[in-house]
Amino acid sequence: NAGVTQTPKFRVLKTGQSMTLLCAQDMNHEYMYWYRQDPGMGLRLIHYSVGEGTTAKGEVPDGYNVSRLKKQNFLLGLESAAPSQTSVYFCASSYSSSQPQHFGDGTRLSIL
Amino acid sequence: AQKITQTQPGMFVQEKEAVTLDCTYDTSDPSYGLFWYKQPSSGEMIFLIYQGSYDQQNATEGRYSLNFQKARKSANLVISASQLGDSAMYFCAMRERISQGGSEKLVFGKGTKLTVNP
């Protein structure tokens, strides 16, 4: 039972570099989410998707883009990484918006 | 304005005792839901318990129960018979409508760090 799988688990980038975080879920969930977690704060929603081919902005979308080309995958892209994007990124999925969200193990991203 | 408030940055409890973690919320939507998640030092987010705004009874899941007081807008987590493995960060979150279309998101509090002492 894989659940929600995030890759990579750790990454160090230089300012200005780009990268893509991958989230895959095998539970046939419609809803998928990307959050970031910073010290002393709870999780904040970056972008989300309510189904294949759809995406929408969350609380803190600036500097990020997402795509949901396949139902099971939700990609988070950083086009030009900035030190302020140093954070732990969590992907989550749920069957519906009122059902509990299942989280991946997180990706620790450091931008120098 | 903060929508989820967890006023206890840290809490300590003796093993086998019960502990209550506070959570208050703010919403004008009559339909909402409240979640509690546990985040151990290993980092993963683990769903514990859910309470819907229209649920008549307080939610319970094993040693976890939710003391839901709608008029006070509080949804406190009660952990009975604490175990050493309960030491973790605990986050309260509220399901909030994003758009007229009905999409919803979770809004998280800042968390409470629980330490269970032997």
Side-chain angles (χ1 to χ4, degrees):
Chain A
N1 256 357
V4 179
T5 303
Q6 291 183 233
T7 52
K9 295 192 185 307
F10 306 94
R11 186 72 184 269
V12 178
L13 290 178
K14 293 182 180 179
T15 298
Q17 286 185 317
S18 63
M19 81 159 295
T20 301
L21 306 185
L22 172 63
C23 176
Q25 53 94 4
D26 62 1
M27 297 172 283
N28 202 34
H29 285 168
E30 290 292 337
Y31 290 71
M32 296 188 75
Y33 310 82
W34 274 107
Y35 294 91
R36 60 178 289 173
Q37 184 178 28
D38 300 301
M41 301 184 72
L43 279 69
R44 292 182 293 169
L45 184 66
I46 304 172
H47 285 281
Y48 67 100
S49 168
V50 301
E52 181 179 317
T54 74
T55 63
K57 294 180 180 180
E59 293 176 77
V60 289
D62 294 342
Y64 305 95
N65 56 74
V66 287
S67 64
R68 184 108 181 260
L69 299 180
K70 293 183 178 181
K71 186 177 183 178
Q72 63 267 35
N73 295 337
F74 195 30
L75 278 61
L76 177 71
L78 286 73
E79 289 187 347
S80 179
S84 61
Q85 294 177 304
T86 294
S87 189
V88 180
Y89 291 85
F90 284 96
C91 176
S93 71
S94 63
Y95 179 74
S96 71
S97 61
S98 60
Q99 294 295 309
Q101 294 180 15
H102 298 264
F103 284 81
D105 289 341
T107 295
R108 189 172 296 274
L109 185 62
S110 294
I111 297 151
L112 307 177
Chain B
Q2 208 165 0
K3 298 209 173 179
I4 294 286
T5 303
Q6 294 181 253
T7 57
Q8 307 151 316
M11 287 284 287
F12 294 87
V13 65
Q14 287 298 122
E15 195 177 6
K16 299 181 185 177
E17 292 185 350
V19 62
T20 297
L21 306 184
D22 294 342
C23 173
T24 57
Y25 59 92
D26 181 29
T27 182
S28 56
D29 195 334
S31 176
Y32 56 89
L34 296 148
F35 299 81
W36 277 92
Y37 283 86
K38 172 184 178 181
Q39 187 177 40
S41 58
S42 50
E44 70 268 33
M45 295 287 286
I46 302 167
F47 165 71
L48 295 178
I49 196 167
Y50 169 76
Q51 179 85 42
S53 59
Y54 295 122
D55 293 343
Q56 294 296 318
Q57 296 196 344
N58 287 348
T60 62
E61 288 286 347
R63 295 187 297 112
Y64 303 109
S65 60
L66 211 152
N67 183 3
F68 183 46
Q69 299 188 44
K70 201 169 180 177
R72 293 185 176 184
K73 293 190 175 180
S74 73
N76 299 338
L77 176 70
V78 181
I79 305 175
S80 62
S82 297
Q83 301 172 356
L84 295 179
D86 293 335
S87 293
M89 283 290 290
Y90 288 81
F91 290 96
C92 180
M94 179 174 67
R95 170 168 60 87
E96 178 183 67
R97 204 185 306 272
I98 302 174
S99 65
Q100 295 297 325
S103 299
E104 295 180 331
K105 68 176 182 181
L106 284 183
V107 178
F108 284 82
K110 294 186 176 182
T112 295
K113 184 174 182 179
L114 176 67
T115 302
V116 180
N117 294 318

